[in-house]
Amino acid sequence: APAMAYDQLVLTMNPIAYYRLDEGAYVPKVAPNIGSLGAVANGGYYNGALDSSEAPLGPQLVGFEPDNTAVQLNGSSAFVGTLVSLLNNQPVFTLSGWIRRGADQANRTGLWGQNDLVEFGYIDNNTIQAWTDAGLNVTPNPFPNGEWDHVALVSTGPTLSIYTNGLLAASRAHTLPGGGVSAFNFNIGGGGVFDGSGNFFNGQIDEIAVFDQALSPVAIANQVASAVPTAPQIAVDLPANTNVYLGDTLVLTVGVIGTPV
């Protein structure tokens, strides 16, 4: 046995730098899932994604804490990835979140989605695209650089819709490819959204939510109204005109948006 361990011996020689490189396997910092799937759907911060960047903040955006943070993505390698295929066998879903473009975006820049199933992002700098069996485009790009904006993608099953800042921007009939199943995992901001890898967003992303239901236009609008002060207004008032027979039940439905919800 040696009289002195190797590392101790080296230190006696007064190195100005000494890296033992024995830290073990790299484990990305966890992005906890607080939805119903729990830890099985946790994400991880990869390739320089920073989890303490500027985010939508209160009190200007009233629904957020004054110390809220977002993920900063560098447009070249960083993304938040999961180890699950969240959208498999989910013909009905909603994906929503907030983005702030840090600069003009490269072609095929991913926001969030699952390659070969539901691909969502900037197909070019001036066009937001959702791709399932074909493209659904919002152009020109509605979001300026340096501004926090809300965007949502909703599938009712037969119909796919994009909402920007709470308003319907585009809609079409669609069918999920591959029988509604993809071998890829759900990613945020890159790591493969339109493609198997790459697709890196330049800017900040925050508050990504995945639902196994098609949120109503009122619910989408109220996500925005919970952050951006909005005067109360009636969004759904049905039926506008109907006839019923004496003794039958008349059902009146109202949907309201505003701050507070």
Side-chain angles (χ1 to χ4, degrees), residues 76 87 97-98 107 122 135 163 168 177 189 193 208 210 218 221:
S76 61
L87 301 179
W98 292 80
N107 293 347
Y122 280 93
Y163 291 80
L168 179 64
V193 174
I208 304 307
V210 180
V218 170

Side-chain angles (χ1 to χ4, degrees), residues 30-211:
V30 172
N33 167 44
I34 61 173
S36 60
L37 285 181
V40 69
N42 281 352
Y45 294 86
Y46 294 94
N47 300 345
L50 302 175
D51 65 334
S52 58
S53 177
E54 183 178 346
L57 300 174
Q60 291 83 8
L61 295 176
V62 294
F64 295 108
E65 312 91 324
D67 58 352
N68 184 37
T69 60
V71 60
Q72 171 75 49
L73 303 167
N74 59 19
S76 61
S77 61
F79 69 101
V80 175
T82 76
L83 298 178
V84 291
S85 302
L86 284 179
L87 301 179
N88 278 1
N89 300 307
Q90 297 282 1
V92 176
F93 61 83
T94 300
L95 312 175
S96 67
W98 292 80
I99 70 170
R100 188 167 101 164
R101 290 163 45 112
D104 288 353
Q105 303 298 313
N107 293 347
R108 305 179 72 81
T109 291
L111 289 175
W112 44 84
Q114 190 173 319
N115 179 239
D116 286 351
L117 187 62
V118 179
E119 304 171 358
F120 187 46
Y122 280 93
I123 199 66
D124 59 55
N125 178 59
N126 205 38
T127 307
I128 294 176
Q129 182 178 93
W131 180 277
T132 54
D133 56 336
L136 174 64
N137 293 343
V138 174
T139 188
N141 164 54
F143 304 143
N145 295 347
E147 173 185 289
W148 280 107
D149 292 286
H150 184 273
V151 60
L153 181 64
V154 179
S155 172
T156 63
T159 302
L160 185 68
S161 301
I162 299 174
Y163 291 80
T164 57
N165 287 324
L167 300 177
L168 179 64
S171 186
R172 71 170 178 87
H174 85 126
T175 301
L176 290 178
V181 174
S182 163
F184 291 90
N185 298 324
F186 183 85
N187 282 346
I188 299 167
V193 174
F194 285 108
D195 302 289
S197 61
N199 310 142
F200 300 110
F201 178 73
N202 186 335
Q204 295 91 37
I205 294 180
D206 200 28
E207 311 295 331
I208 304 307
V210 180
F211 303 86

Side-chain angles (χ1 to χ4, degrees), residues 62 221 224-233 257-260:
V62 294
V224 178
S226 71
V228 180
T230 304
Q233 56 186 292
I257 63 174
T259 309

